[in-house]
Amino acid sequence: MMISGLNGGNCILSSMAKERVKSGILDQAQVVGCKGEYTVVFNGIQWKGEPIVLSSSRQPYEARIFKSLDGAIAELLRIGLTEASIKITTKSEIN
């Protein structure tokens, strides 16, 4: 399935993600990163070959970076997702 985020990009705000979870469009997420640099990626959803990622309202066109796994998981719970996978990477895998 292909959906776009803001301005035809692959970033999506929490409020947009929450509505898409309610409607059943989004149902899987993965927290990806390493210590202090975690992002939320929605599984199975892409836009122009890029995965849909969670962004913040302050920087809506960039992936939101969480400083802890707890923060990322708490945001997923606020959105309405109750399950997520976690992928721990090294710094070189992120860049």
Side-chain angles (χ1 to χ4, degrees), residues 1-63:
M1 172 182 284
M2 289 181 53
I3 60 171
S4 70
L6 288 172
N7 200 25
N10 69 319
C11 294
I12 187 171
L13 295 170
S14 293
S15 58
M16 294 168 70
K18 186 174 189 173
E19 291 303 314
R20 290 178 177 159
V21 167
K22 283 181 185 177
S23 67
I25 295 172
L26 295 177
D27 61 357
Q28 298 178 15
Q30 183 176 48
V31 179
V32 180
C34 62
K35 186 176 182 178
E37 295 183 17
Y38 300 99
T39 58
V40 173
V41 178
F42 293 98
N43 299 339
I45 306 290
Q46 291 192 352
W47 181 250
K48 296 183 181 177
E50 295 289 324
I52 297 292
V53 295
L54 194 63
S55 64
S56 72
S57 57
R58 289 186 181 165
Q59 295 178 321
Y61 305 109
E62 296 178 19

Side-chain angles (χ1 to χ4, degrees), residues 64-82:
R64 181 173 177 183
I65 305 297
F66 292 89
K67 293 185 183 205
S68 70
L69 280 172
D70 289 342
I73 298 298
E75 187 62 22
L76 286 173
L77 288 171
R78 279 190 285 277
I79 290 170
L81 289 175
T82 57

